[in-house]
Amino acid sequence: MQLKAGVDLPPDTTMQLKAGAALPPDSTMQLKAVTPPDRGAAARGEGDAATPPPDATMQLRVFKPEPTGRRAARKKAAPPSALTRVTSALAPLTAKLAPYAQKAAPYARKLKPVYPRPGRAGWRRWVPSWRQWLGAVLASFGLSGAFLVIAYAATDIPDNLNSYATQQDNVYFWSDGTPMARTGWVQRQAMPLKDIPVQVRWAVLAAENESFYTDPGISVKGISRALYRTVGKGDTQGGSTITQQYVKNVYLTQNQTVSRKFTEAMIALKLDNRMSKDKILEGYLNTSWFGRGTYGIQRASQAYYGKDVSQLNASEAAFLASLLKGAGLYDPTLNKANHHRAVERWSWILDRMVKIGKLTPAERAKYKTFPEPLKQNPLYDTGKQSDYLVELASQYAKKAAGISDQQFDLGGYQIYTTFDRKREDALTDAVTKARKQARQSHAALAKTAHYGAASVADDGRILAVYGGPDHRTQGYNESNAATVPAGSAFLPFVYAAGLEHGVHKTRGGPATPVTPESVYDGNDGVPVTTPEGPYWDRNGKKVAAHNDGKKSYGQITLGQALARSVNTPFMQLGMDTGLTQVRRTAEASGLLSSSIGSQVPALSLGNSTPSAIRMASGYATFAADGLHTEPFSVRRITRNGGTVALKTPKAQRAVGATVARQVTEALDESFRLAHPAGAPASVEVAGKAGTTSDDTASWYVGTTASVSTAVVLYRMDLSKSLEPLPLKGLDGIAAAVPYGIWSNALRPLG
């Protein structure tokens, strides 16, 4: 489109161009300016240089209209590019460095290689000048330094340690403090540095990193040597400081690669700046591998010398330090070559301790004989009986200390149990002997025989249990199983209830006191009565009590009835006292409510199914003058040197002291009548056999020296059902086998 102005326009005159039709964006229009010729001005050489000459053509571009309104407001400017941002950030620095760059430019141009080099002939034309060599070396140092600075800044110390590096085992101890068993995937027990003797620490430092307290966390010489061995010769070699080894143990893998080695060094540098040297050394000593399946100096001390690290001397510490170079090469019990290497390195470490001033020559002179370690690791896996002990202790520990399964599995707990090693061995030997005799005399019956036993002190401590022949093949604890009736072994609880609460001859009437001299009918088949008359069962039959062998005793005192195990008086006593009171007395004495039988007359004759532990606990209540303490198997728990809060059961009054003594006196007479030569007259022994009417269980429960022990024998074919089977004489005459186990386990009585 052309526009021609026919008249002169004053300066800055605005002209509007109206297009009759809409033009697309970026359309080009031509505007032609026609100026009348001014010949006078032209002749004078005047005129505006900016004024277009006549008939000049100008191009006018139509732009796309800018958006307006909300759409315009929503339109955002494009973000600057990464290069723009970097340039902007570096602009102030560039401005400051510009003068120096100008001064260095001539020198830099001289360093620029020109090939072939002018003024040189032959091969010299291709050899860089000394300035170029110097520039290359300086540049390489500068780039390397910058790379290391960037790598150090970019390296973070991992938040989480390797789970394998933090997992420990749980150690269980006998009541005398000696190790009993351990559980967990690794043998590791963390120890605070303050509990590790100074000589033990310096034995390790002398062997591994004597400059530990002064180095920056890495050794350039060692890293270079390790890299040379790894890259140049294809094998691996140490060269790490203790800080680097600790980083490898707890943060990284054991892979011997250049990248892992570099990461290890960077983390070690940063860790050395953030963590104290003592903390690093403590972590290293608690996570290092010492062989024999052990991690950490504490477990190594126990595995090789059978004692805590606090009891090590410098000589023993020097040997353990030698294992850090490779336990497979320095455990002297493996072979003669190992023994030779171990002695040499042990001697070298002691000499190093003298050289660095951590051992005096006089002290060094004491250690001339190599400290031979134990031939085998005493920290064995849990064995046949210890499996049951560990099971009881771990369950109690978690409950009493409020430890979750997840926390417990992380390990690190030292669990001091109540188990008495001598009593445990004696009880296990007694049951093992009885099992062997049963296989010889009753081979068919012995295949389905089960024996449970437990000893509980009058203060609640579980001293020993027999849980079965092998926990690995039998996954439950027979000493803690509530499977078979207590039978006549339950009678003392009925007796105690009657003496404590009295009897009711009329419904709702006052209680009449009962004493050991109170007389009851001891004949067989005596009907059981209530204040309203005979007791009828659901089948409409009168319930009658029966004695063992259906023997009748006539009128008999309650004390004599318990001593002679006469059932019928106690079945009636239970009804007179009230079965609710009988139940409460049994539970208060130690039996679990879940094991108490149906509240019918048979309750008094032992239809309850307590475990051996609970029966022993109940009899221990009578030995404790009527104070009951819940049975417990753990007396103390620590973790990594700190004490774990543990709820210890408190004694509660179950029955009066007088009643408890009366029960004990009757049980003492029961023992003397059944086993007149079983113990000297001066020894206090109280015990009673327990049988069932259906011959499915045989018990003996007795107390001596304030310790109650319960033994139960029964038959059950677990491959078919959980239904008890008749013993058929497997228990001997009058529960002779359970009594034999009981007496052998406690021998000598007195």
Side-chain angles (χ1 to χ4, degrees), residues 210-269:
E210 65 183 58
S211 63
F212 169 73
Y213 280 101
T214 57
D215 65 41
I218 64 171
S219 168
V220 176
K221 181 179 179 181
I223 292 175
S224 301
R225 183 174 65 252
L227 289 175
Y228 171 73
R229 299 287 296 184
T230 302
V231 178
K233 296 192 176 183
D235 60 1
T236 61
Q237 180 172 316
S240 301
T241 63
I242 278 180
T243 306
Q244 289 176 260
Q245 293 180 55
Y246 174 63
V247 167
K248 178 181 67 176
N249 289 344
V250 302
Y251 295 119
L252 305 175
T253 67
Q254 302 298 313
N255 296 335
Q256 292 286 354
T257 62
V258 174
S259 62
R260 201 274 297 156
K261 200 75 177 175
F262 180 78
T263 304
E264 171 193 298
M266 291 297 102
I267 295 178
L269 281 171

Side-chain angles (χ1 to χ4, degrees), residues 456-476:
V456 179
D458 60 2
D459 60 1
R461 291 174 295 126
I462 302 176
L463 302 180
V465 301
Y466 180 85
D470 192 339
H471 190 273
R472 289 166 290 189
T473 58
Q474 175 179 289
Y476 74 98

Side-chain angles (χ1 to χ4, degrees), residues 497-534:
L499 296 176
E500 183 77 14
H501 302 286
V503 297
H504 296 266
K505 294 298 184 180
T506 60
R507 186 73 64 187
T512 302
V514 170
T515 70
E517 302 304 320
S518 297
V519 177
Y520 270 73
D521 192 342
N523 290 320
D524 183 68
V526 175
V528 176
T529 62
T530 68
E532 292 78 24

Side-chain angles (χ1 to χ4, degrees), residues 330 332 338-348 370 372:
Y330 291 89
N338 273 23
H339 193 280
H340 179 72
R341 280 191 292 265
V343 172
E344 282 190 343
R345 186 156 179 83
W346 160 78
S347 180
W348 177 83
F370 178 68
E372 298 288 347

